[in-house]
Amino acid sequence: MENNSERLAIKVDQVSKQFKLPHEKVTSLKSIFINFYRRRRTFEVQEALKNVSFDVKEGEFFAIVGRNGSGKSTLLKLLAGIYVPNNGSVTVNGRLTPFIELGVGFNMELTGRENVFLNGSLLGFNRKEMEAMYDDIVDFAELRRFMDQKLKNYSSGMQVRLAFSIAIRAKGDILLIDEVLAVGDADFQRKSLKYFKQLKKEKKTVVFVSHDMVSVQEFCDRGILIEDGVIKAAGNATQIAREYTLMFENSHLDSDTKGYRNRDPDERPGNGNVRITGVAIDVNKQEIDIKVDAKVNKDVSELIYGLMVMGEDGREITGFNNRSLKRPNLTHLKSGSEIKFNWKIQNIFKSGEYSLTLSLVSTQSRYDDFVDAGFFKVNKEKHSNTAVLPEVSVKHTIT
Amino acid sequence: MKHIYSKKNRALLAELVRTDFKLRYQGSVLGYAWSLLRPLLLFAILYVVFVKVFPLGKGVPHYPVYLLLGLVMWNFFLEMTTQSLGSIVLRGDLIRKIRIPRWIIVLSASISALINLFLNLIVVMVFLFLNHVDLLMTTLWLPLIIIEVYILALGCSLWLAAGYVKYRDLNYIWEVIMQLGFYVTPIIYPMTRITSLTVKKLLLLNPMGQAVQDARYAVVTHGTTITKGVFSGGWYTYIPYIITIVVFITGLLYFKSQAKTFAENI
């Protein structure tokens, strides 16, 4: 087991962290004096982390996910050595670059140039090293014209660009990254994505705290899910992302269905060899249950059945057909037979209105294309803001 | 403290001091010139008040320079401790987000104060020259005296900076203590004005009093009353140094014990 690729970069062993939150409600001058003499203010102990243990292997992309306030940032700060655990130990093998946040130490009153040197020194570079890479930093940030202006005159996007350009110069064996990807425009996000891919190629150890399950699944090998200061799940990135998404399913949900909108089947595209005759939608916390009735009007040798979910703006959010679900096409359907489809889509949708498009096709021809076959509404207090694919199943019966 | 000389930490320290200096006169027309102009103007006022209006220093040779040197030494102590006091809290953003040695922040504040001291000493030198003070060989002691004051001030700074994170009353308390200190240190009044030997002795047990008088003795005039002059030898003369060392070491230990929790307490 102890070969090089299995060496541990970070070992977190039964770490607990408590914060004392003082009750600071000084109501009168008198109470100030009373408190002063007692020397002890009342406080509340908040347990940010309880008995957390995990390892990060060398060269691994490790995700820490969890809701706001679950303790993940505390954990990251413990890894970075900013906090000291009350119990347990954190062992780090290798040089750690703690950019918990971009642009630490940026001073609005200094020019962009001066901030580059200041920020660089916080990442461990001396002036000479910074001078050597100064041009690269400026070019990467595309801010050459602005370098002699004070930072307070920069837009927030420009500040982030500058900070990011410096941060990626930091050389360490282990990088701690806290949602830096969540900022910036599309162009900037592309750059940071490229940087991530490079890190992965260079086999750097990265601990990544994020809400973005797409990034987590794309980059991370393993991860942990933290909830209320304890590890709720540990495993590979896909499992973690799914667990995280599922967490939001328990949230309050108020659903209703508008359901089937009766429209003249003859106006719909398709040759009508098979027609949809009825749609019923039922939304609950766990899933969206869609029942579709269809009637075969003429013998068909092959049927591919599919469904698309559209958002309020009419754009496709997700779509499936029997092939994508690895189910065989229906074959040799006799005229007059009726088919009942029952789709079950995991409800990971965020609050909003959605519409359904149903389609029945074959490889050669289109039978029925039912746009706005039904609507459903999702109402959640909390939701995951992610584009993780929901779990889908479909069953059919032919009569 | 073993990393104090590491390349990384030195670079960081230099950059923090540089930033501090740049920001100090940010937006002012005269800029860095203020670091010389300010002590000059302040001294001009004191000169008028204490040399022309209330001539406290009658009989003290070169009293203006004597006064100035005392003030410069005191101001160094005052500036360094006051700035260090708030330094950790002021840099809370750094401490909460990045792991840097905490003492670097206090050290950078102290170095800023040291730089100011040297600029002020230049002003003192100018006045030495204008007052036709003979250059004394003992001037060479001055760096040693400054080191003593620096160590004392650093000890206080470590106590204050760490304490201020938890107790925000400290800055008011320290302000009052400094006001008191200004008067229990022989700065604006010469020791010759004090008739009681016991009071003289007490004043010179204060490390700042001892340092100020020593500096005057070394640079301005050998007529200055120094510790040796009021105590007839014995271990008493070491008390100011012992205080200095004790303050420094306890300050260091207290700071070290508190530094771990700065990030969560700020």
Side-chain angles (χ1 to χ4, degrees), chain B:
Chain B
M1 294 296 270
K2 61 177 181 288
H3 308 296
I4 197 162
Y5 292 118
S6 86
K7 198 182 78 174
K8 203 176 134 181
N9 287 343
R10 261 182 303 162
L12 177 57
L13 184 61
E15 210 55 56
L16 287 175
V17 172
R18 198 175 282 135
T19 306
D20 208 42
F21 215 69
K22 268 180 205 151
L23 289 174
R24 188 170 299 172
Y25 299 106
Q26 187 67 246
S28 61
V29 182
L30 293 177
Y32 298 139
W34 276 115
S35 33
L36 280 176
L37 211 55
R38 193 168 148 265
L40 263 175
L41 292 174
L42 291 181
F43 179 63
I45 295 168
L46 287 164
Y47 181 82
V48 172
V49 175
F50 290 109
V51 178
K52 299 292 177 196
V53 186
F54 308 106
L56 283 174
K58 250 189 192 155
V60 179
H62 312 299
Y63 181 67
V65 197
Y66 178 95
L67 174 63
L68 178 61
L69 184 62
L71 273 170
V72 162
M73 299 287 282
W74 176 258
N75 277 348
F76 166 62
F77 181 78
L78 175 70
E79 190 194 329
M80 180 165 154
T81 51
T82 315
Q83 276 183 11
S84 305
L85 184 143
S87 61
I88 294 286
V89 171
L90 209 69
R91 293 274 189 193
D93 58 327
L94 288 190
I95 286 174
R96 274 196 305 260
K97 284 167 194 165
I98 202 161
R99 184 177 53 172
I100 50 167
R102 275 67 173 115
W103 50 263
I104 273 195
I105 291 169
V106 178
L107 210 60
S108 89
S110 81
I111 288 174
S112 298
L114 260 185
I115 292 170
N116 260 354
L117 171 67
F118 287 118
L119 292 169
N120 286 341
L121 285 176
I122 292 170
V123 177
V124 175
M125 291 304 159
V126 171
F127 276 88
L128 275 174
F129 179 74
L130 292 177
N131 274 273
H132 307 289
V133 180
D134 296 324
L135 198 59
L136 299 169
M137 272 306 284
T138 45
T139 305
L140 294 173
W141 293 0
L142 191 62
L144 289 176
I145 300 164
I146 290 172
I147 288 172
E148 187 207 338
V149 178
Y150 180 74
I151 291 173
L152 176 70
L154 194 59
C156 294
S157 298
L158 289 168
W159 269 107
L160 293 166
Y164 189 53
V165 174
K166 272 191 181 166
Y167 308 103
R168 299 295 165 95
D169 327 59
L170 256 184
N171 58 338
Y172 305 111
I173 295 169
W174 190 244
E175 205 182 314
V176 174
I177 292 175
M178 283 293 90
Q179 200 58 245
L180 179 70
F182 183 72
Y183 291 106
V184 299
T185 306
I187 298 165
I188 51 172
Y189 52 88
M191 285 291 267
T192 44
R193 287 246 159 181
I194 290 161
T195 43
S196 156
L197 184 66
T198 321
V199 175
K200 275 187 185 180
K201 280 182 176 172
L202 284 174
L203 288 177
L204 284 174
L205 286 181
N206 160 15
M208 276 314 288
Q210 167 258 317
V212 164
Q213 290 302 90
D214 279 1
R216 286 165 166 169
Y217 179 89
V219 179
V220 186
T221 165
H222 286 339
T224 313
T225 316
I226 55 168
T227 323
K228 257 192 286 179
V230 289
F231 291 102
S232 45
W235 66 277
Y236 295 106
T237 50
Y238 295 108
I239 289 177
Y241 304 107
I242 293 167
I243 294 174
T244 301
I245 288 164
V246 167
V247 168
F248 178 69
I249 289 172
T250 54
L252 208 59
L253 293 175
Y254 178 67
F255 189 85
K256 219 181 144 193
S257 73
Q258 295 296 306
K260 282 182 280 188
T261 53
F262 282 167
E264 54 201 84
N265 285 334
I266 287 173

Side-chain angles (χ1 to χ4, degrees), chain A residues 78-94:
Chain A
L78 282 165
L79 297 182
I82 294 169
Y83 289 159
V84 178
N86 295 100
N87 294 107
S89 65
V90 177
T91 320
V92 176
N93 298 315

